[in-house]
Amino acid sequence: MQALFTIYQIVELLTNVFVMLIIVQFVIGLLLAFNVVSRGNDFVVAVYRSINSLLDPVLSPIRKMLPQTGAIDFSPLVLIIVLQIFLIILSSVIRSLA
């Protein structure tokens, strides 16, 4: 039983890291879009591109399923909600096995 709880904690940690990456991507995207941070700042652009390269394989299928909403991209929000639902279900399954 302890092994299942440990696996859950690892999955929860990875999920939290993923959510933080989504939030950082969103904030940097806003800063670049509103020209608070210049696109000439190589460090910020490199961080933004790196995060995009990690998240795009996961976000692109969600973007294909969602209707076009113009400039607003709801796929990160959908991914966060799906990850949280996954954690709730996993936690419930592990508790039921106890």
Side-chain angles (χ1 to χ4, degrees):
M1 192 57 185
Q2 185 65 26
L4 285 177
F5 184 67
T6 303
I7 291 171
Y8 173 76
Q9 285 180 321
I10 292 170
V11 170
E12 185 180 30
L13 175 69
L14 293 174
T15 302
N16 289 336
V17 168
F18 217 71
V19 169
M20 286 297 142
L21 281 174
I22 294 169
I23 293 170
V24 168
Q25 177 196 33
F26 175 74
V27 170
I28 292 175
L30 283 178
L31 293 174
L32 291 172
F34 289 110
N35 210 18
V36 175
V37 175
S38 170
R39 291 203 179 264
N41 189 333
D42 294 334
F43 176 74
V44 174
V45 171
V47 169
Y48 186 66
R49 285 186 183 157
S50 298
I51 293 173
N52 277 342
S53 68
L54 288 172
L55 295 179
D56 273 346
V58 179
L59 291 175
S60 61
I62 296 172
R63 286 184 184 124
K64 290 177 185 174
M65 290 188 297
L66 293 177
Q68 295 293 329
T69 56
I72 301 173
D73 183 15
F74 287 109
S75 60
L77 176 65
V78 171
L79 180 59
I80 290 173
I81 291 170
V82 167
L83 289 173
Q84 294 303 314
I85 290 171
F86 173 73
L87 283 178
I88 291 169
I89 292 171
L90 185 62
S91 171
S92 176
V93 167
I94 289 175
R95 281 191 208 135
S96 70
L97 295 174

